[in-house]
Amino acid sequence: EVQLVESGGGLVKPGGSLRLSCAASGFTFSSYSMNWVRQAPGKGLEWVSSISSSGKYIYYGDSVKGRFTISRDNAKNSVFLQMNSLRAEDTAVYYCTRDLGRDISCYDYWGLGTLVTVSS
Amino acid sequence: EIVMTQSPATLSVSPGERATLSCRASQSVSSDLAWYQQKPGQAPRLLIYGASTRATGIPARFSGSASGTEFTLTISSLQSEDFAVYYCLQYDNWPRTFGQGTKVEIK
């Protein structure tokens, strides 16, 4: 059974940092691109970042570019999101997602999410 | 950035009726369009990908279609568990972009 379990969320002050982790199981992690998608309270879904299966290709949304860094450890079946210079507008539930397939980069599995709250 | 526009924002439907949701892309996304269902407090669930292919385990009452940059999700006969928010996602170009969502509520 595919499982994605996020951790690392919490309350942080503006300008602070957090590192989110996503532990994957139930599939060959190193074969799949992985992503982070967020959802502000009461709002819609926003794609944040993606990383290819090898980690060679990385993409960011404009709202987080230069502040967030995605990475992965295929030996530990994990993907990470380092978030620096956090702003109030980064407050959201952050979901870890898996690409459906090699050439189908929509998201078939989602974690339960981890809440990040940026507030003084 | 490709803008995905969903309509209507809210759709009021009686159980057993048909629901038709729309998603328009600001430019071509080929068939790289997915639909998601999200219920309160839950993660989104993939319904449709490739504009018209049902994901694993999705009931046949859910169908997707496309005409150019206009995409449609049809729920043929709404069940109680189908009342939720639905999002479209284009995965043809970077950045990936979602529509703003359509809430399907009980009439």
Side-chain angles (χ1 to χ4, degrees), chain B residues 38-55:
Chain B
Q38 188 178 33
K39 298 178 182 179
Q42 296 184 16
R45 178 173 72 142
L46 177 65
L47 300 175
I48 301 285
Y49 65 93
S52 60
T53 302
R54 273 190 304 277

PDB file of all heavy atoms in Angstrom, chain B residues 38-55:
ATOM      1  N   GLN B  38     -12.180  16.867  -3.460  1.00  0.00           N
ATOM      2  CA  GLN B  38     -11.714  17.066  -2.090  1.00  0.00           C
ATOM      3  C   GLN B  38     -12.899  17.269  -1.149  1.00  0.00           C
ATOM      4  O   GLN B  38     -13.746  18.119  -1.383  1.00  0.00           O
ATOM      5  CB  GLN B  38     -10.774  18.263  -1.986  1.00  0.00           C
ATOM      6  CG  GLN B  38     -10.131  18.371  -0.591  1.00  0.00           C
ATOM      7  CD  GLN B  38      -9.159  19.527  -0.470  1.00  0.00           C
ATOM      8  OE1 GLN B  38      -9.330  20.577  -1.078  1.00  0.00           O
ATOM      9  NE2 GLN B  38      -8.111  19.339   0.332  1.00  0.00           N
ATOM     10  N   LYS B  39     -12.913  16.482  -0.100  1.00  0.00           N
ATOM     11  CA  LYS B  39     -13.913  16.614   0.950  1.00  0.00           C
ATOM     12  C   LYS B  39     -13.287  17.312   2.150  1.00  0.00           C
ATOM     13  O   LYS B  39     -12.052  17.265   2.307  1.00  0.00           O
ATOM     14  CB  LYS B  39     -14.466  15.241   1.329  1.00  0.00           C
ATOM     15  CG  LYS B  39     -15.180  14.559   0.172  1.00  0.00           C
ATOM     16  CD  LYS B  39     -15.685  13.183   0.556  1.00  0.00           C
ATOM     17  CE  LYS B  39     -16.346  12.535  -0.644  1.00  0.00           C
ATOM     18  NZ  LYS B  39     -16.836  11.165  -0.327  1.00  0.00           N
ATOM     19  N   PRO B  40     -14.097  17.943   2.992  1.00  0.00           N
ATOM     20  CA  PRO B  40     -13.548  18.703   4.126  1.00  0.00           C
ATOM     21  C   PRO B  40     -12.630  17.860   4.997  1.00  0.00           C
ATOM     22  O   PRO B  40     -12.964  16.727   5.358  1.00  0.00           O
ATOM     23  CB  PRO B  40     -14.801  19.127   4.890  1.00  0.00           C
ATOM     24  CG  PRO B  40     -15.866  19.191   3.853  1.00  0.00           C
ATOM     25  CD  PRO B  40     -15.557  18.080   2.900  1.00  0.00           C
ATOM     26  N   GLY B  41     -11.454  18.414   5.301  1.00  0.00           N
ATOM     27  CA  GLY B  41     -10.513  17.743   6.174  1.00  0.00           C
ATOM     28  C   GLY B  41      -9.754  16.592   5.540  1.00  0.00           C
ATOM     29  O   GLY B  41      -9.001  15.890   6.226  1.00  0.00           O
ATOM     30  N   GLN B  42      -9.941  16.404   4.241  1.00  0.00           N
ATOM     31  CA  GLN B  42      -9.262  15.306   3.554  1.00  0.00           C
ATOM     32  C   GLN B  42      -8.331  15.824   2.456  1.00  0.00           C
ATOM     33  O   GLN B  42      -8.503  16.939   1.969  1.00  0.00           O
ATOM     34  CB  GLN B  42     -10.279  14.347   2.923  1.00  0.00           C
ATOM     35  CG  GLN B  42     -11.165  13.636   3.924  1.00  0.00           C
ATOM     36  CD  GLN B  42     -12.086  12.627   3.239  1.00  0.00           C
ATOM     37  OE1 GLN B  42     -11.879  12.245   2.082  1.00  0.00           O
ATOM     38  NE2 GLN B  42     -13.101  12.173   3.966  1.00  0.00           N
ATOM     39  N   ALA B  43      -7.380  14.981   2.086  1.00  0.00           N
ATOM     40  CA  ALA B  43      -6.546  15.297   0.935  1.00  0.00           C
ATOM     41  C   ALA B  43      -7.348  15.099  -0.345  1.00  0.00           C
ATOM     42  O   ALA B  43      -8.324  14.333  -0.368  1.00  0.00           O
ATOM     43  CB  ALA B  43      -5.318  14.390   0.923  1.00  0.00           C
ATOM     44  N   PRO B  44      -6.985  15.794  -1.401  1.00  0.00           N
ATOM     45  CA  PRO B  44      -7.659  15.574  -2.689  1.00  0.00           C
ATOM     46  C   PRO B  44      -7.487  14.135  -3.175  1.00  0.00           C
ATOM     47  O   PRO B  44      -6.512  13.456  -2.831  1.00  0.00           O
ATOM     48  CB  PRO B  44      -6.947  16.564  -3.619  1.00  0.00           C
ATOM     49  CG  PRO B  44      -6.417  17.627  -2.713  1.00  0.00           C
ATOM     50  CD  PRO B  44      -6.006  16.885  -1.471  1.00  0.00           C
ATOM     51  N   ARG B  45      -8.454  13.711  -3.986  1.00  0.00           N
ATOM     52  CA  ARG B  45      -8.431  12.374  -4.575  1.00  0.00           C
ATOM     53  C   ARG B  45      -8.453  12.529  -6.087  1.00  0.00           C
ATOM     54  O   ARG B  45      -9.306  13.254  -6.621  1.00  0.00           O
ATOM     55  CB  ARG B  45      -9.636  11.555  -4.105  1.00  0.00           C
ATOM     56  CG  ARG B  45      -9.709  10.164  -4.724  1.00  0.00           C
ATOM     57  CD  ARG B  45     -10.805   9.313  -4.133  1.00  0.00           C
ATOM     58  NE  ARG B  45     -12.149   9.698  -4.496  1.00  0.00           N
ATOM     59  CZ  ARG B  45     -13.166   8.851  -4.746  1.00  0.00           C
ATOM     60  NH1 ARG B  45     -12.933   7.536  -4.686  1.00  0.00           N
ATOM     61  NH2 ARG B  45     -14.357   9.289  -5.020  1.00  0.00           N
ATOM     62  N   LEU B  46      -7.565  11.824  -6.769  1.00  0.00           N
ATOM     63  CA  LEU B  46      -7.512  11.877  -8.226  1.00  0.00           C
ATOM     64  C   LEU B  46      -8.702  11.129  -8.819  1.00  0.00           C
ATOM     65  O   LEU B  46      -8.939   9.968  -8.494  1.00  0.00           O
ATOM     66  CB  LEU B  46      -6.203  11.261  -8.725  1.00  0.00           C
ATOM     67  CG  LEU B  46      -6.025  11.173 -10.239  1.00  0.00           C
ATOM     68  CD1 LEU B  46      -5.951  12.570 -10.869  1.00  0.00           C
ATOM     69  CD2 LEU B  46      -4.763  10.378 -10.586  1.00  0.00           C
ATOM     70  N   LEU B  47      -9.444  11.807  -9.680  1.00  0.00           N
ATOM     71  CA  LEU B  47     -10.591  11.198 -10.354  1.00  0.00           C
ATOM     72  C   LEU B  47     -10.275  10.844 -11.802  1.00  0.00           C
ATOM     73  O   LEU B  47     -10.529   9.738 -12.266  1.00  0.00           O
ATOM     74  CB  LEU B  47     -11.784  12.164 -10.356  1.00  0.00           C
ATOM     75  CG  LEU B  47     -12.342  12.629  -9.021  1.00  0.00           C
ATOM     76  CD1 LEU B  47     -13.433  13.676  -9.262  1.00  0.00           C
ATOM     77  CD2 LEU B  47     -12.889  11.458  -8.221  1.00  0.00           C
ATOM     78  N   ILE B  48      -9.760  11.823 -12.527  1.00  0.00           N
ATOM     79  CA  ILE B  48      -9.564  11.744 -13.968  1.00  0.00           C
ATOM     80  C   ILE B  48      -8.185  12.283 -14.307  1.00  0.00           C
ATOM     81  O   ILE B  48      -7.758  13.290 -13.731  1.00  0.00           O
ATOM     82  CB  ILE B  48     -10.620  12.593 -14.716  1.00  0.00           C
ATOM     83  CG1 ILE B  48     -12.044  12.139 -14.408  1.00  0.00           C
ATOM     84  CG2 ILE B  48     -10.341  12.606 -16.225  1.00  0.00           C
ATOM     85  CD1 ILE B  48     -12.470  10.860 -15.075  1.00  0.00           C
ATOM     86  N   TYR B  49      -7.481  11.642 -15.236  1.00  0.00           N
ATOM     87  CA  TYR B  49      -6.253  12.190 -15.781  1.00  0.00           C
ATOM     88  C   TYR B  49      -6.278  12.016 -17.290  1.00  0.00           C
ATOM     89  O   TYR B  49      -7.120  11.286 -17.822  1.00  0.00           O
ATOM     90  CB  TYR B  49      -5.010  11.541 -15.144  1.00  0.00           C
ATOM     91  CG  TYR B  49      -4.850  10.074 -15.438  1.00  0.00           C
ATOM     92  CD1 TYR B  49      -4.087   9.638 -16.517  1.00  0.00           C
ATOM     93  CD2 TYR B  49      -5.479   9.117 -14.638  1.00  0.00           C
ATOM     94  CE1 TYR B  49      -3.938   8.293 -16.790  1.00  0.00           C
ATOM     95  CE2 TYR B  49      -5.341   7.769 -14.902  1.00  0.00           C
ATOM     96  CZ  TYR B  49      -4.564   7.357 -15.974  1.00  0.00           C
ATOM     97  OH  TYR B  49      -4.426   6.021 -16.240  1.00  0.00           O
ATOM     98  N   GLY B  50      -5.372  12.713 -17.969  1.00  0.00           N
ATOM     99  CA  GLY B  50      -5.390  12.659 -19.424  1.00  0.00           C
ATOM    100  C   GLY B  50      -6.712  13.146 -19.991  1.00  0.00           C
ATOM    101  O   GLY B  50      -7.153  12.693 -21.052  1.00  0.00           O
ATOM    102  N   ALA B  51      -7.353  14.015 -19.257  1.00  0.00           N
ATOM    103  CA  ALA B  51      -8.643  14.641 -19.599  1.00  0.00           C
ATOM    104  C   ALA B  51      -9.837  13.695 -19.526  1.00  0.00           C
ATOM    105  O   ALA B  51     -10.958  14.134 -19.235  1.00  0.00           O
ATOM    106  CB  ALA B  51      -8.607  15.302 -20.989  1.00  0.00           C
ATOM    107  N   SER B  52      -9.618  12.392 -19.769  1.00  0.00           N
ATOM    108  CA  SER B  52     -10.785  11.504 -19.854  1.00  0.00           C
ATOM    109  C   SER B  52     -10.570  10.101 -19.288  1.00  0.00           C
ATOM    110  O   SER B  52     -11.482   9.272 -19.370  1.00  0.00           O
ATOM    111  CB  SER B  52     -11.226  11.374 -21.318  1.00  0.00           C
ATOM    112  OG  SER B  52     -10.182  10.828 -22.100  1.00  0.00           O
ATOM    113  N   THR B  53      -9.415   9.817 -18.722  1.00  0.00           N
ATOM    114  CA  THR B  53      -9.130   8.493 -18.180  1.00  0.00           C
ATOM    115  C   THR B  53      -9.435   8.456 -16.692  1.00  0.00           C
ATOM    116  O   THR B  53      -8.877   9.237 -15.923  1.00  0.00           O
ATOM    117  CB  THR B  53      -7.666   8.103 -18.415  1.00  0.00           C
ATOM    118  OG1 THR B  53      -7.380   8.129 -19.819  1.00  0.00           O
ATOM    119  CG2 THR B  53      -7.393   6.700 -17.870  1.00  0.00           C
ATOM    120  N   ARG B  54     -10.324   7.549 -16.308  1.00  0.00           N
ATOM    121  CA  ARG B  54     -10.632   7.432 -14.884  1.00  0.00           C
ATOM    122  C   ARG B  54      -9.467   6.807 -14.138  1.00  0.00           C
ATOM    123  O   ARG B  54      -8.860   5.837 -14.599  1.00  0.00           O
ATOM    124  CB  ARG B  54     -11.892   6.576 -14.663  1.00  0.00           C
ATOM    125  CG  ARG B  54     -13.196   7.357 -14.722  1.00  0.00           C
ATOM    126  CD  ARG B  54     -14.363   6.501 -14.260  1.00  0.00           C
ATOM    127  NE  ARG B  54     -14.468   5.266 -15.021  1.00  0.00           N
ATOM    128  CZ  ARG B  54     -15.053   5.163 -16.198  1.00  0.00           C
ATOM    129  NH1 ARG B  54     -15.599   6.232 -16.749  1.00  0.00           N
ATOM    130  NH2 ARG B  54     -15.099   4.003 -16.819  1.00  0.00           N
ATOM    131  N   ALA B  55      -9.174   7.354 -12.976  1.00  0.00           N
ATOM    132  CA  ALA B  55      -8.130   6.784 -12.128  1.00  0.00           C
ATOM    133  C   ALA B  55      -8.619   5.472 -11.524  1.00  0.00           C
ATOM    134  O   ALA B  55      -9.822   5.167 -11.541  1.00  0.00           O
ATOM    135  CB  ALA B  55      -7.756   7.776 -11.029  1.00  0.00           C
TER     136      ALA B  55
END
